[in-house]
Amino acid sequence: MKDTRSRATGRPTLAHVAALAGVSQITTSRALRSVPTVAPELVERVRAAAKALSYVPNPAARTLASARSQSILVLVPALSNHLFIETLEAIQAVFRPRGFEMLIGNYHYDSYEEEELIRNYLSHQPCGILLTGFKRSAVAADLLATSGVPRVQMMDLGGDTASVCVGFSQGSAGRAVADHLLSRGRRKLAFVGAQLDDRVMQRRAGFQQAIADAGFSQAVDILTPEPSSVDLGVTLFKRLLAECPQTDGVFFCNDDLAFGACFEALRKGISIPQRLSVVGFNDLPGASQMVPRLTTVQTPRASIGRQAAINLLKLLDGETLDTERVDLGFELVVRESS
Amino acid sequence: MKDTRSRATGRPTLAHVAALAGVSQITTSRALRSVPTVAPELVERVRAAAKALSYVPNPAARTLASARSQSILVLVPALSNHLFIETLEAIQAVFRPRGFEMLIGNYHYDSYEEEELIRNYLSHQPCGILLTGFKRSAVAADLLATSGVPRVQMMDLGGDTASVCVGFSQGSAGRAVADHLLSRGRRKLAFVGAQLDDRVMQRRAGFQQAIADAGFSQAVDILTPEPSSVDLGVTLFKRLLAECPQTDGVFFCNDDLAFGACFEALRKGISIPQRLSVVGFNDLPGASQMVPRLTTVQTPRASIGRQAAINLLKLLDGETLDTERVDLGFELVVRESS
DNA sequence: ATGAAAGCGCTAACAC
DNA sequence: GTGTTAGCGCTTTCAT
């Protein structure tokens, strides 16, 4: 009966593995972390010993000794939006196989909560941080900068922070929608927007620019500062039909607006693919299954997550990607109902 | 210029706080953890010193020393389902204010992945575990049992594991739906089910039982082993109308089936609230906004998360809740479209 | 009720 | 390339 487990945790420790492999603790440590200076033969022996004992490293000890954990902090504004879930999945697909853990911080679109989360999670000494967007409190920005932990920002490309960003351009999304509609022969194009924040206006600008570049002009703008919703989509769609009945292509700046419109069209028996092309931004969950032919411009969530993760890995490896901005474009997805 | 920060992390340590407060390190530790044996006056002094230095405890050191982290491991089968997101939010609302972190493990309905997650996360020495359902591999169950970490199971009440469960009874959900329909004067009741797993059959049994108890009998059963989907809902709804046109109340065992049916009804101009009552299980995201009057039986996700978290806290406090089973019932939610 | 000493399991720094 | 030593920052144990 050999003593191969720690009294405190009941699990074998590095010392046990080292003893079994017949090398020093530090060599064991290095071998297990794939530090290149260890002789291949020793690596072999150590691996075998670790396996024999079912050794699993103690992350707390590792973090304490190295002042750096194997965790990546990911801050998202919401979990209720599918967009971020898919982004998280893509991130995890990069990090999990490499032995990193993900700490997920949901700040509910609240910058004070974001600040608190940062303060809390920073105490865990994450080795990297993935952030969503630019806007955050000065305190939060300062905490991040002071921490010195490598970080990558996702989704937005704009802003003034001198750091690595992975996202897409709202303007080119708008442009693509216009090109798509024009290529299908649509000429009476409308833009329907709510909320009217920067992003919406950038999408609109790209949309208009592309129409102008093609030598046409946009037929109509239906705009309102109200927050976007399915109901509002119905209302604005009615307004569109009233004000500009000859419209044959619409870009709804938000998914729920587009959905409300499609739904209303369905009710009224308006055949959307034939009389009208509708494009929405992002994809309301389930919408694709319910509404006949809704074209959708999707934020490239998975690509953004994956690329952001990959760039963060590069930073962790010591590469310098200063102020790199990666524009991943977007995807035009044509959905069809049953 | 006093030396109030650790060389390794740049942050103040317990020793710094102790020095400033003029007490020993261990008293400082106890004061900060609210160990009751410390004199109130010292607690005061220590707190002040900690605040003055912006001291934040180092979780790695704490975990290493005590062989127990402040993390709660939560295992969910998916993040893409809103049900689990809402459950997670409710759990977090209990734990975050008390200083616990949440480790979220998404096993994608894959029991091998669940096993891997358990093995990995167990190395972080979580102080508690929240699990979803009963079915898991024998290895996983063994890992959990051997770990000795307190755990609570969510969602299902059945199963044979002798542990604390918080969930709801599928049978009583079915019963409630029948009662609801009967109370609205519906008499020709139908059950539409897909997938036909245990849970679906339990819902059906409860539904039938309640109808029988009220002295009536169920008009028709539309069953298929195919997996549930919106499309299938359309198909089954057509079958229902063909086979049993006089039906005036239907219980769809899944949300997407109900949605497909409502959608189809809408297309055909069948007025659901007048001619037919439709009840679906759970709420397809967005469905409430799109379909006129869909009654929904909702898994009490938030209540389950909160109650499970509270029960786990009790276990952490040393209370014994052996084999406790908490049935949280369910909610009947009537949704109306715009 | 408070404190001193001894680790927790690992890695950084420096030797050899 | 490998090993020795000395902590990382905290809590446990045991004394007082």
Side-chain angles (χ1 to χ4, degrees):
Chain A
M1 288 290 138
K2 274 178 288 182
D3 178 25
T4 51
R5 19 209 71 224
S6 135
R7 203 172 56 81
T9 62
R11 297 183 316 181
T13 72
L14 206 53
H16 298 124
V17 179
L20 185 58
V23 293
S24 74
Q25 241 187 78
I26 187 65
T27 299
T28 310
S29 168
R30 291 201 259 250
L32 259 19
R33 279 178 299 146
S34 310
V35 173
T37 67
V38 184
E41 182 222 323
L42 290 189
V43 172
E44 200 62 24
R45 270 204 344 246
V46 169
R47 291 244 166 88
K51 196 171 170 188
L53 297 177
S54 308
Y55 168 75
V56 180
N58 180 325
R62 181 175 283 194
T63 302
L64 183 58
S66 64
R68 163 136 310 194
S69 77
Q70 291 287 97
S71 307
I72 306 289
L73 170 58
V74 188
L75 290 173
V76 293
L79 247 30
S80 49
N81 190 332
H82 232 72
L83 173 63
F84 298 112
I85 300 292
E86 288 173 37
T87 308
L88 286 176
E89 295 277 9
I91 294 168
Q92 198 157 37
V94 174
F95 284 119
R96 281 236 325 151
R98 290 164 216 234
F100 294 95
E101 307 287 334
M102 251 169 78
L103 292 177
I104 300 171
N106 174 2
Y107 57 89
H108 301 95
Y109 284 105
D110 177 305
S111 53
Y112 175 69
E113 192 174 348
E114 186 184 24
E115 209 179 296
E116 281 303 290
L117 284 174
I118 292 173
R119 209 189 312 279
N120 266 305
Y121 280 124
L122 238 28
S123 78
H124 285 80
Q125 307 178 132
C127 57
I129 304 180
L130 250 19
L131 301 152
T132 315
F134 280 101
K135 273 172 249 155
R136 55 184 51 85
S137 74
V139 180
D142 190 59
L143 280 170
L144 290 171
T146 308
S147 76
V149 179
R151 50 202 177 281
V152 172
Q153 298 185 318
M154 302 183 290
M155 301 298 159
D156 281 357
L157 292 175
D160 49 3
T161 314
S163 67
V164 178
C165 312
V166 174
F168 70 101
S169 148
Q170 304 279 351
S172 57
R175 234 171 285 128
V177 174
D179 290 340
H180 168 80
L181 291 172
L182 291 169
S183 77
R184 298 189 135 212
R186 308 295 175 175
R187 291 295 177 267
K188 309 284 189 191
L189 303 185
F191 179 87
V192 180
Q195 208 133 341
L196 307 188
D197 56 30
D198 284 358
R199 305 179 196 195
V200 170
M201 294 322 264
Q202 285 166 24
R203 279 171 219 163
R204 176 162 163 272
F207 184 69
Q208 294 181 326
Q209 188 59 54
I211 295 172
D213 289 351
F216 302 101
S217 68
Q218 184 189 314
V220 66
D221 251 346
I222 307 275
L223 302 178
T224 170
E226 289 176 65
S228 180
S229 71
V230 173
D231 287 1
L232 188 60
V234 173
T235 309
L236 296 181
F237 184 64
K238 285 179 181 164
R239 239 175 81 190
L240 175 68
L241 292 181
E243 290 185 21
C244 205
Q246 78 278 28
T247 299
D248 60 7
V250 208
F251 177 21
F252 286 91
C253 74
N254 282 111
D255 52 1
D256 37 13
L257 291 182
F259 192 82
C262 287
F263 195 66
E264 180 64 13
L266 187 80
R267 248 177 185 153
K268 295 218 169 132
I270 299 177
S271 169
I272 285 191
Q274 279 159 36
R275 236 196 64 193
L276 194 63
S277 284
V278 172
V279 179
F281 199 81
N282 278 330
D283 180 32
L284 196 71
S288 59
Q289 293 179 283
M290 302 157 206
V291 149
R293 294 224 181 151
L294 166 61
T295 304
T296 282
V297 194
Q298 285 212 143
T299 300
R301 33 317 277 278
S303 320
I304 289 178
R306 195 169 50 77
Q307 193 56 246
I310 289 171
N311 280 12
L312 185 52
L313 278 178
K314 287 187 189 161
L315 289 178
L316 297 187
D317 280 355
E319 287 187 42
T320 348
L321 309 173
D322 242 3
T323 319
E324 177 167 317
R325 262 148 228 261
V326 185
D327 183 343
L328 261 0
F330 48 83
E331 307 154 46
L332 260 179
V333 185
V334 180
R335 307 283 191 162
E336 317 222 1
S337 75
S338 46
Chain B
M1 286 292 136
K2 275 177 286 181
D3 179 23
T4 51
R5 19 209 70 225
S6 134
R7 205 172 55 80
T9 63
R11 295 184 315 181
T13 72
L14 206 54
H16 298 123
V17 179
L20 185 58
V23 293
S24 74
Q25 240 189 78
I26 186 60
T27 300
T28 310
S29 168
R30 293 200 257 248
L32 259 19
R33 278 178 299 145
S34 310
V35 173
T37 66
V38 184
E41 181 223 323
L42 290 189
V43 172
E44 199 62 24
R45 263 190 8 231
V46 168
R47 291 244 166 89
K51 196 171 169 188
L53 297 177
S54 309
Y55 169 75
V56 181
N58 181 325
R62 179 174 285 194
T63 302
L64 182 57
S66 63
R68 164 139 307 196
S69 78
Q70 291 287 94
S71 308
I72 306 288
L73 171 57
V74 187
L75 291 173
V76 294
L79 248 29
S80 50
N81 191 332
H82 233 71
L83 173 65
F84 298 112
I85 301 292
E86 288 173 37
T87 308
L88 286 175
E89 295 277 9
I91 294 167
Q92 198 156 36
V94 174
F95 284 119
R96 281 236 324 149
R98 290 164 215 233
F100 293 96
E101 308 287 335
M102 251 169 77
L103 293 177
I104 300 170
N106 173 2
Y107 56 89
H108 301 96
Y109 285 104
D110 177 304
S111 54
Y112 175 70
E113 194 174 347
E114 186 184 24
E115 207 177 297
E116 281 303 291
L117 283 174
I118 292 173
R119 209 189 313 277
N120 267 304
Y121 280 123
L122 238 28
S123 78
H124 285 81
Q125 307 178 116
C127 57
I129 304 180
L130 250 19
L131 302 152
T132 315
F134 281 100
K135 272 173 249 156
R136 54 186 51 87
S137 73
V139 180
D142 190 60
L143 281 170
L144 290 170
T146 307
S147 76
V149 180
R151 46 200 179 284
V152 172
Q153 299 186 317
M154 302 184 290
M155 301 298 159
D156 282 356
L157 292 175
D160 47 3
T161 313
S163 66
V164 179
C165 311
V166 175
F168 69 101
S169 147
Q170 304 279 353
S172 58
R175 233 170 287 129
V177 173
D179 291 340
H180 169 80
L181 291 171
L182 292 170
S183 77
R184 298 189 134 212
R186 307 296 175 173
R187 291 296 177 265
K188 309 283 188 189
L189 304 185
F191 180 87
V192 180
Q195 209 135 339
L196 307 188
D197 56 30
D198 283 358
R199 305 181 197 193
V200 170
M201 296 323 264
Q202 284 167 25
R203 280 171 220 163
R204 176 163 162 271
F207 184 69
Q208 294 181 327
Q209 188 58 55
I211 295 171
D213 288 352
F216 302 100
S217 68
Q218 185 189 313
V220 65
D221 250 345
I222 308 276
L223 301 177
T224 169
E226 287 176 69
S228 178
S229 72
V230 173
D231 287 2
L232 188 60
V234 173
T235 309
L236 296 181
F237 183 63
K238 285 179 182 163
R239 239 174 79 190
L240 174 68
L241 292 181
E243 290 185 21
C244 205
Q246 78 279 26
T247 298
D248 60 6
V250 207
F251 177 22
F252 286 90
C253 74
N254 283 111
D255 52 1
D256 38 12
L257 291 182
F259 191 83
C262 288
F263 196 66
E264 180 64 14
L266 187 80
R267 249 177 185 150
K268 295 214 170 136
I270 300 177
S271 169
I272 286 189
Q274 278 161 37
R275 235 197 65 194
L276 195 63
S277 284
V278 172
V279 179
F281 198 81
N282 278 330
D283 180 31
L284 197 69
S288 59
Q289 293 179 284
M290 300 158 207
V291 150
R293 295 221 181 152
L294 166 62
T295 304
T296 281
V297 194
Q298 285 212 144
T299 299
R301 29 325 272 276
S303 321
I304 289 178
R306 196 170 49 76
Q307 192 56 247
I310 288 171
N311 279 13
L312 184 52
L313 278 178
K314 287 187 189 161
L315 288 178
L316 297 187
D317 280 356
E319 288 186 41
T320 347
L321 309 173
D322 243 2
T323 318
E324 176 166 318
R325 262 148 228 259
V326 185
D327 183 343
L328 261 358
F330 48 83
E331 307 154 47
L332 259 180
V333 184
V334 180
R335 306 284 191 161
E336 316 223 1
S337 76
S338 45

